[in-house]
């Protein structure tokens, strides 16, 4: 048996995404020569301005977008398509929930596709619906839910499918400030309980500091790269009012103050 990278670790080496410009021979790079190693079970945040290629990089890890060059491996396997080991949580839950299914049916959908017995599906969905704070709402339809509740359903569904890696593309960006803080606390708690690898995209520095063990800062595009990686040596749950939190916030803010 090979002693390679853990199955939920991600290795990126000189990764590129480019497309040809109308001018013959010219290439436009969205991301260029990105190097990154994400450990299994790590909570890693990709932080950068809008349009810098964060979502492109996330979608390449998901297998939705093909690479133009370099290497991208999950465990020992080169990524060339989506896989059950990687689940994506989008910013807008409306685009991923089935409006004709109840909360429970949405959460169980992937399990049903795997032909899992009904009783087992019910036990799993009950566990994760409770974990995301939606107990009592199992029989509601998406139209009956608030934006924050819909995001909870989306999160419960990817947890129920038990993917080793969660890829989260600004999942709380459309929520009001209070709901967003609640969801950040919930996600941090769930991650610590489940030990999944999480890659979380945001342009909010405080959100990055509340959630991430490490934060990778992406330069403005085109030809975006990860220019700095910060370790966040703060205990969970994070205290937004602590001096150490503010010091890191100011340091990271310095990358965007020009």
């Amino acid at each position: 048996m090979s002693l390679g990278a853990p199955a939920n670790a991600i290795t990126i080496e000189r990764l590129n995404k480019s497309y040809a410009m109308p001018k013959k021979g010219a290439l436009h790079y969205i991301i260029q020569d990105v190097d990154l190693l994400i450990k299994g079970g790590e909570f890693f945040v990709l932080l950068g301005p809008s349009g810098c290629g964060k979502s492109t990089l996330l979608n390449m890890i998901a297998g939705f977008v093909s690479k133009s060059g370099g290497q991208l491996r999950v465990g020992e396997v080169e990524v060339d398509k989506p896989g059950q080991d990687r689940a994506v949580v989008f910013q807008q839950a409306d685009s991923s929930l089935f409006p004709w299914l109840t909360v429970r049916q949405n959460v169980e959908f992937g399990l049903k596709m795997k032909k899992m017995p009904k009783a087992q599906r019910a036990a799993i969905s009950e566990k994760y619906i409770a974990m995301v704070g939606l107990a009592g709402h199992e029989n509601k339809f998406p139209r009956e839910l608030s934006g924050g509740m819909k995001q909870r359903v989306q999160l419960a569904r990817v947890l129920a499918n038990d993917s080793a890696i969660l890829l989260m593309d600004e999942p709380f960006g459309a929520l009001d400030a209070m709901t967003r803080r609640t969801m950040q606390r919930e996600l941090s708690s769930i991650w610590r309980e489940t030990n999944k690898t999480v890659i979380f995209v945001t342009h909010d520095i405080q959100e990055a500091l509340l959630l991430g063990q490490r934060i990778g800062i992406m330069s403005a595009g085109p030809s975006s790269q990860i220019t700095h990686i910060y370790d966040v040596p703060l205990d969970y749950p994070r205290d937004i009012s602590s001096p150490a939190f503010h010091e890191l916030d100011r340091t990271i803010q310095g990358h965007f103050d020009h």
Side-chain angles (χ1 to χ4, degrees):
M1 181 176 166
S2 167
L3 294 175
N8 59 343
I10 297 161
T11 306
I12 296 171
E13 296 173 341
R14 300 190 66 80
L15 187 68
N16 297 309
K17 181 60 186 177
S18 63
Y19 58 87
M21 299 285 280
K23 183 180 171 186
K24 191 175 179 183
L27 287 176
H28 175 84
Y29 282 91
I30 301 171
I31 62 172
Q32 187 170 16
D33 293 338
V34 169
D35 291 303
L36 182 61
L37 175 61
I38 296 172
K39 297 182 287 289
E42 181 175 11
F43 199 123
F44 189 90
V45 177
L46 282 170
L47 177 69
S50 296
C52 74
K54 303 184 301 295
S55 294
T56 298
L57 180 53
L58 195 81
N59 283 320
M60 291 171 79
I61 297 169
F64 298 152
V65 173
S66 62
K67 64 177 185 273
S68 304
Q71 293 189 315
L72 168 53
R73 297 189 301 278
V74 172
E76 295 294 303
V77 180
E78 194 73 21
V79 172
D80 59 6
K81 61 187 176 187
Q84 291 187 351
D85 55 346
R86 286 155 284 143
V88 184
V89 180
F90 299 99
Q91 182 172 347
Q92 298 289 351
D94 285 334
S95 62
S96 68
L97 298 181
F98 299 114
W100 59 89
L101 299 181
T102 64
V103 167
R104 187 194 307 280
Q105 290 166 337
N106 265 288
V107 172
E108 291 184 13
F109 182 79
L111 307 178
K112 192 174 182 181
M113 291 298 99
K114 294 175 186 173
K115 307 257 189 302
M116 184 178 286
K118 189 174 182 180
Q120 193 178 350
R121 293 202 310 261
I124 291 172
S125 66
E126 185 177 341
K127 173 185 175 180
Y128 289 110
I129 288 169
M131 187 182 282
V132 300
L134 284 177
H137 300 280
E138 293 87 349
N139 297 316
K140 290 183 178 177
F141 291 91
R143 65 178 178 273
E144 302 175 86
L145 305 176
S146 68
M149 291 169 82
K150 288 176 188 175
Q151 283 298 55
R152 290 171 186 268
V153 178
Q154 197 182 180
L155 186 53
R157 186 171 66 187
V158 300
L159 290 169
N161 284 326
D162 201 26
S163 300
I165 297 167
L166 300 186
L167 305 172
M168 310 190 79
D169 192 1
E170 301 200 43
F172 310 142
L175 305 179
D176 65 84
M178 286 180 67
T179 305
R180 188 171 186 169
R181 282 287 181 261
T182 301
M183 289 298 294
Q184 288 162 348
R185 284 194 298 271
E186 294 280 352
L187 174 61
S188 181
S189 175
I190 289 166
W191 163 70
R192 281 175 280 145
E193 192 173 321
T194 59
N195 198 40
K196 294 183 183 299
T197 304
V198 179
I199 304 178
F200 189 102
V201 163
T202 184
H203 58 261
D204 183 314
I205 296 172
Q206 284 197 344
E207 181 168 68
L209 286 169
L210 280 168
L211 294 172
Q213 289 180 300
R214 289 193 302 153
I215 299 170
I217 295 177
M218 292 190 71
S219 59
S223 300
S224 183
Q225 296 179 319
I226 296 175
T227 58
H228 296 79
I229 293 179
Y230 285 90
D231 288 299
V232 185
L234 305 175
D235 293 334
Y236 291 98
R238 301 267 163 85
D239 179 4
I240 202 168
S241 64
S242 75
F245 191 100
H246 280 290
E247 187 177 339
L248 264 171
D249 191 338
R250 279 196 304 273
T251 300
I252 293 173
Q253 183 66 53
H255 290 281
F256 307 107
D257 282 346
H258 48 75

